[in-house]
Amino acid sequence: MSITYKDAAGIEGMRTACRLASEVLDYLTPLIQPGITTLEIDRLAADYMKQQGTRSATIGYQPSGYPPYPGHLCTSLNHVVCHGIPNDKPLKKGDILNVDVTVITPDGWYGDNSRMFLIGGEAACSLQARRLCQVTYEAMWKGIVLVRPGARLGDIGHAIQTYAEGNGYSVVREFCGHGIGQRFHEEPQVLHYGRPGTLEELEPGMTFTIEPMINAGRREIKELGDGWTIVTRDRSLSAQWEHTVLVTETGYEVLTLSAGSLAPPAFVTAAAAVPA
Ligand code: MF3
Ligand code: CO
Ligand code: CO
C-alpha cells in the first residue's frame, strides 16, 4: 500500500464523497438531542445514506485482528476516545458525543469526517467539556492550515500537539489520520504529534484526514472487550474532530464541508479557507 495522488477526476470523486459525508452530519445535527439513542442515530444515518446513494464504509469493516464493525457510523461518548459502537442508551443533557461518518460513493470514493455534539446545548455542558471540544476543534485547524506542498507531516503533528498540550490536554498516540481515496485507510499515517521537518513531504493531489483525539486527562487508552471501543484509561473526557483535506498546488482544500459545517476558528485566514 502506498500514497495515492489524485488526478482531476479523482479530486472530483473525493469532493463529492466528502461533501456527502459532511451532509450526513448536517442531517443528524438537529436530531442529536437528549433522549435519542446512538442506535437510533445509526439507523437514521443509514436511511439517509441510502437516500443519498452512498453506503457506510464502517458497517462490516474488518481490519485484520478486529471483529467486523457493527455500526453505520461511530458514536463516542464522553470518555470514549473513538470507535464507540451505537447502543440503546439514551443520550443525557451534558454528555459530549463524537459522531464519525465515512461514506462510499457509487464510484468508490470515500469521504470521512466527524464532529462533536454538546448534548442539550452549550448551557447543559460543563465548562471543561465545552473547552475540550473547542480546543480539539482548534487543534485540528492548527494542523489543517499548515497543509501545502513542501510541508511535512511532522509539522502538522507538532502544531496539533503543541496546541493541545499548551492548553493542558494530552494527545492520543495510538490512532492517527490517514490517506483516503478509493480505500478507507491508505498511507500516509497522519500523526497528531511529532517534530517539525520530519516525515513525509506533502505533494499536490494527496488526500488525507486530520482527526486529533484529545484527552482532558492522561493520554493512555484501553480497548474494551467488544474489540472496538477505545476509552481513556483514567476515564477523563475525550474529544475528536475530523476533516478530509486535499493538498492543492498552493495550500489546502477542506473537502468535508457542507452547509452545516462549523466556521473555522478566527486564526484561519479567509484566503486560506477558500478552496484554491
Ligand atoms: N472513521 C474512522 C476514522 O476516522 C474509522 C472508523 S473504523 C470503524 O478513521 F470500523 F470503527 F468504524
Ligand atoms: Co478517518
Ligand atoms: Co472518521
Side-chain angles (χ1 to χ4, degrees), residues 47-267:
D47 292 345
Y48 191 73
M49 289 181 210
K50 183 167 278 175
Q51 281 183 47
Q52 285 184 321
T54 64
R55 61 198 175 84
S56 164
T58 60
I59 185 112
Y61 182 58
Q62 188 174 18
S64 69
Y66 283 81
Y69 185 78
H72 296 86
L73 41 64
C74 299
T75 50
S76 300
L77 186 67
N78 297 331
H79 72 296
V80 179
V81 173
C82 63
H83 304 165
I85 296 172
N87 63 30
D88 59 7
K89 239 185 99 193
L91 297 176
K92 300 189 312 293
K93 276 186 188 169
D95 284 338
I96 61 169
L97 179 71
N98 175 275
V99 181
D100 191 337
V101 170
T102 312
V103 302
I104 315 172
T105 58
D107 47 357
W109 295 99
Y110 286 65
D112 186 8
N113 67 165
S114 79
R115 301 181 193 163
M116 292 303 297
F117 295 88
L118 301 171
I119 306 305
E122 299 242 341
C125 294
S126 70
L127 186 58
Q128 168 72 313
R130 277 147 49 193
R131 184 172 169 272
L132 175 66
C133 294
Q134 184 182 337
V135 167
T136 303
Y137 185 64
E138 291 166 353
M140 173 185 69
W141 274 100
K142 288 282 176 184
I144 291 173
V145 296
L146 298 179
V147 172
R148 62 174 172 77
R152 289 180 174 270
L153 285 173
D155 304 342
I156 293 170
H158 178 76
I160 292 169
Q161 179 180 16
T162 301
Y163 190 73
E165 291 179 355
N167 279 283
Y169 298 144
S170 64
V171 177
V172 171
R173 301 289 205 275
E174 291 83 352
F175 298 92
C176 56
H178 49 91
I180 183 168
Q182 286 183 306
R183 288 168 306 175
F184 196 164
H185 294 106
E186 298 184 343
E187 283 182 33
Q189 293 192 38
V190 180
L191 304 180
H192 304 114
Y193 61 93
R195 281 182 297 125
T198 66
L199 304 175
E200 189 75 27
E201 187 171 316
L202 304 186
E203 292 181 43
M206 291 172 69
T207 52
F208 55 84
T209 70
I210 298 181
E211 51 177 304
M213 281 143 270
I214 306 296
N215 297 346
R218 296 175 57 85
R219 68 176 172 83
E220 286 78 14
I221 58 162
K222 65 178 188 207
E223 186 182 292
L224 298 188
D226 60 25
W228 277 106
T229 308
I230 304 296
V231 299
T232 56
R233 224 170 231 294
D234 64 7
R235 297 190 61 93
S236 63
L237 288 179
S238 187
Q240 179 178 27
W241 286 81
E242 177 177 28
H243 270 314
T244 301
V245 302
L246 164 71
V247 184
T248 66
E249 296 294 330
T250 56
Y252 65 87
E253 179 179 329
V254 176
L255 299 177
T256 36
L257 290 179
S258 56
S261 298
L262 191 58
F267 64 77

